[in-house]
């Protein structure tokens, strides 16, 4: 089964949307960092750069995944999306390490923040933009069964939570004057980003290893087969796997010996539908 195969070439528009919002948020968060000199806001800006690279990677892989099946790729090119999510997960790890390194340096040598109010407003605007695009990508990823869009949406949602944490940290510094809160929040953000990256890489590896379909899919398949009880037909050797946008199901169907080949073929076609 190929979900919305005719529409997959249109998925690149979502990648372009992700790229556009990444450029927009990088600009806003960099401005916020330059205004406040907050290492927390710097960490937020660095993660947005990862968003941009992830969006570019998703664009390239979605373009490849939309190619039709050919002689050398009889199941199509949909697995290319797993490379996109794997790279994005790796980039998240790199960003987290960079954030933690910068935050530890600031923790050792704290610096006062400047013009916090303006910086928070600019950063909040970037977060709202990220949230809107993340929700759009999540819905598209689910609708088209696209791991690239799903990974991108999860990363953007992580970015939103990251920004929320940073805003709280910077706000606490402004209210309490505890400069140490800024780098501490940045370190917590780095740990959160690491966890998100781990989840994305795990899903990518799972897809490349041809994992079986989810239990909810298997239950649907079994319910279809159960409806054929009493027909004299037996099913065995049921196997499933997820390959990019494809859900692949194979099984052996044993029909009664007195059936004709034509009748058996019609029955299997009915099961397939």
């Amino acid at each position: 089964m190929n979900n919305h195969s005719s529409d997959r070439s249109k998925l690149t528009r979502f990648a372009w949307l992700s790229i556009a919002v990444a450029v927009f948020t990088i600009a806003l968060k960099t401005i916020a960092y330059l205004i406040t000199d907050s290492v927390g806001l710097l960490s937020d800006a660095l993660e947005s750069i990862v968003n941009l690279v992830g969006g570019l990677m998703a664009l390239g892989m979605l373009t490849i995944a939309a190619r039709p099946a050919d002689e050398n790729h009889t199941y199509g090119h949909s697995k290319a999306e797993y490379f996109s999510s794997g790279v994005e997960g790796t980039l998240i790890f790199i960003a987290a390490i960079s954030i933690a390194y910068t935050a530890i340096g600031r923790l050792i040598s704290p610096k006062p923040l400047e013009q916090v109010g303006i910086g928070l407003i600019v950063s909040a605007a970037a977060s709202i933009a990220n949230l809107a695009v993340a929700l759009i990508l999540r819905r598209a990823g689910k609708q088209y069964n696209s791991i690239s869009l799903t990974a991108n949406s999860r990363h953007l949602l992580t970015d939103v939570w990251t920004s929320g944490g940073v805003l709280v940290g910077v706000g606490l510094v402004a209210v309490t004057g505890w400069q140490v809160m800024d780098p501490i929040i940045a370190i917590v953000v780095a740990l959160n980003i690491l966890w998100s990256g781990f989840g994305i890489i795990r899903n990518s590896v799972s897809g490349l290893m041809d994992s079986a379909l989810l239990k909810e899919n298997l239950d649907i398949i079994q319910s279809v087969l159960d409806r054929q009880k009493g027909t004299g037909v037996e099913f065995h050797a049921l196997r499933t796997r997820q390959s990019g946008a494809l859900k692949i199901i194979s099984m052996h169907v044993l029909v009664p010996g007195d059936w004709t080949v034509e009748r058996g073929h019609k029955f299997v076609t009915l099961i397939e539908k």
Side-chain angles (χ1 to χ4, degrees):
M1 300 186 297
N2 189 343
N3 295 349
H4 304 275
S5 58
S6 61
D7 295 328
R8 299 202 71 77
S9 61
K10 301 177 182 179
L11 297 187
T12 53
R13 71 182 187 271
F14 294 106
W16 280 114
L17 176 62
S18 176
I19 291 168
V21 77
V23 172
F24 176 70
T25 55
I26 287 171
L28 287 183
K29 291 179 180 181
T30 300
I31 291 171
Y33 161 66
L34 293 175
I35 290 174
T36 63
D37 196 29
S38 163
V39 71
L41 292 175
L42 172 62
S43 70
D44 219 4
L46 287 174
E47 190 179 2
S48 291
I49 294 175
V50 176
N51 291 347
L52 175 59
V53 176
L56 291 170
M57 185 69 182
L59 175 62
M61 293 301 101
L62 284 169
T63 301
I64 294 174
R67 294 176 182 172
D70 55 35
E71 185 177 343
N72 294 323
H73 305 88
T74 54
Y75 283 107
H77 300 78
S78 59
K79 271 197 172 182
E81 290 193 56
Y82 289 116
F83 291 100
S84 172
S85 62
V87 168
E88 184 155 3
T90 303
L91 289 172
I92 290 174
F93 267 79
I94 295 173
I97 293 171
S98 300
I99 292 168
Y101 177 80
T102 305
I104 290 172
R106 185 61 64 88
L107 188 61
I108 296 171
S109 303
K111 293 182 180 179
L113 305 185
E114 301 175 4
Q115 300 186 57
V116 173
I118 298 175
L120 291 179
I121 292 172
V122 174
S123 184
S127 297
I128 292 171
N130 270 337
L131 177 60
V133 173
L135 295 176
I136 292 172
L137 294 182
R138 184 172 68 176
R139 182 176 60 186
K142 184 176 182 180
Q143 178 181 356
Y144 295 100
N145 198 22
S146 169
I147 189 172
S148 290
L149 295 181
T150 300
N152 216 326
S153 69
R154 285 182 60 187
H155 188 194
L156 285 176
L157 284 173
T158 300
D159 196 8
V160 172
W161 285 109
T162 296
S163 299
V166 169
L167 292 175
V168 170
V170 174
L172 286 174
V173 172
V175 173
T176 65
W178 297 343
Q179 305 298 333
V180 72
M181 289 300 300
D182 183 36
I184 287 176
I185 289 294
I187 291 172
V188 172
V189 165
L191 293 174
N192 182 49
I193 294 171
L194 277 174
W195 178 250
S196 174
F198 172 75
I200 292 174
I201 292 175
R202 180 181 58 190
N203 290 340
S204 180
V205 171
S206 177
L208 289 172
M209 295 299 291
D210 286 337
S211 296
L213 299 184
L214 298 175
K215 184 180 182 300
E216 60 192 49
N217 298 133
L218 297 177
D219 289 342
I220 293 172
I221 296 168
Q222 192 60 52
S223 69
V224 171
L225 302 184
D226 288 344
R227 288 200 294 269
Q228 307 307 319
K229 289 181 178 179
T231 61
V233 177
E234 296 180 6
F235 305 93
H236 69 94
L238 173 64
R239 294 186 297 175
T240 66
R241 65 187 177 99
Q242 181 84 36
S243 178
L246 289 173
K247 288 183 172 68
I248 300 171
I249 306 165
S250 67
M251 72 183 77
H252 293 171
V253 182
L254 303 180
V255 300
D258 59 348
W259 281 23
T260 63
V261 173
E262 181 182 8
R263 183 179 178 184
H265 177 72
K266 287 183 178 178
F267 179 83
V268 171
T269 300
L270 175 65
I271 295 296
E272 185 177 0
K273 289 181 179 179

